[in-house]
Amino acid sequence: MDLRGRLAEHPVLAIVRGDDADAALRTVLALAEEGIGLVEVSLTTAGAFGVIERAVAELGERVGAGTVLTRDDAVRARDAGAAFALTPALGPGVDAALELGLPVVAGAFTPTEVLAAVRAGAAAVKVFPASVHGPAYLRALRDPFPGVDLVPVGGVGVGDVRPYLDAGALAVGAGGPLVGDAARGGDLAALRERARAFLAAAG
């Protein structure tokens, strides 16, 4: 898949992480119904590979795997049908996912790590944890890396979406501030309201 193109078209990437597999699946499906174009299921989620497989059956290439740290993670994510992978850092998960043909948003923070992610073949670079320095830091990274697609992740609230996009982000990744407690069995109606607010902020 053209992950870079999909992120440009759908600049809010949802990150689902929870301790209830059924609730996590309901969360993924509700987000998609509200118009969120790409959803990552973190492998720290209970029954993550099953959630991915069930979500892919409904949504196809809109579903990816997150927190891909090892080769085994990458293989199992691919086998579950994940269309892409995200990592919190560089390492074996990035290399294995790319070898398996999965486009990757590779985690990095420093300029050195951003360059290493690009050299590894990442489709985009996940600036994590973005909240440490905010949109100003992302804008600073854009100066030496004008051709690198950056996706800030970590503490991105609805009020941060537009500032990050205006600072040059390709897209933003939103976990807790978007998903809330939905993936732990929380309120799906509130989740849907947050999803609409995030999409409006990105529009």
Side-chain angles (χ1 to χ4, degrees):
M1 71 179 293
D2 175 15
L3 181 57
R4 193 260 170 219
R6 294 291 294 274
L7 286 166
E9 183 180 359
H10 301 283
V12 177
L13 166 69
I15 300 165
V16 174
R17 178 183 290 109
D19 57 10
D20 181 324
D22 290 335
L25 178 62
R26 289 193 296 270
T27 298
V28 172
L29 298 179
L31 288 165
E33 287 170 3
E34 292 302 328
I36 299 291
L38 293 168
V39 182
E40 163 203 336
V41 177
S42 171
L43 297 189
T44 60
T45 295
F49 297 108
V51 174
I52 291 170
E53 187 171 8
R54 293 157 68 194
V56 167
E58 297 282 341
L59 304 173
E61 288 191 338
R62 297 169 74 174
V63 182
T67 324
V68 176
L69 298 176
T70 67
R71 180 172 187 82
D72 183 62
D73 288 343
V75 170
R76 295 182 69 189
R78 188 275 314 272
D79 290 349
F84 55 92
L86 284 88
T87 73
L90 300 170
V94 174
D95 298 334
L98 290 169
E99 288 172 11
L100 294 166
L102 290 177
V104 177
V105 181
F109 189 70
T110 67
T112 299
E113 292 167 350
V114 170
L115 182 59
V118 172
R119 287 178 170 169
V125 177
K126 170 181 165 178
V127 180
F128 176 81
S131 61
V132 172
H133 294 307
Y137 182 64
L138 187 130
R139 184 178 292 108
L141 285 175
R142 291 282 298 165
D143 288 340
F145 301 113
V148 176
D149 292 312
L150 302 175
V151 180
V153 176
V156 178
V158 67
D160 303 311
V161 174
R162 180 44 53 189
Y164 275 121
L165 295 176
D166 288 346
L170 171 66
V172 300
L178 169 58
V179 174
D181 63 355
R184 301 191 301 274
D187 188 348
L188 287 182
L191 170 72
R192 291 176 182 277
E193 289 182 9
R194 291 191 298 271
R196 290 192 289 269
F198 268 81
L199 289 171

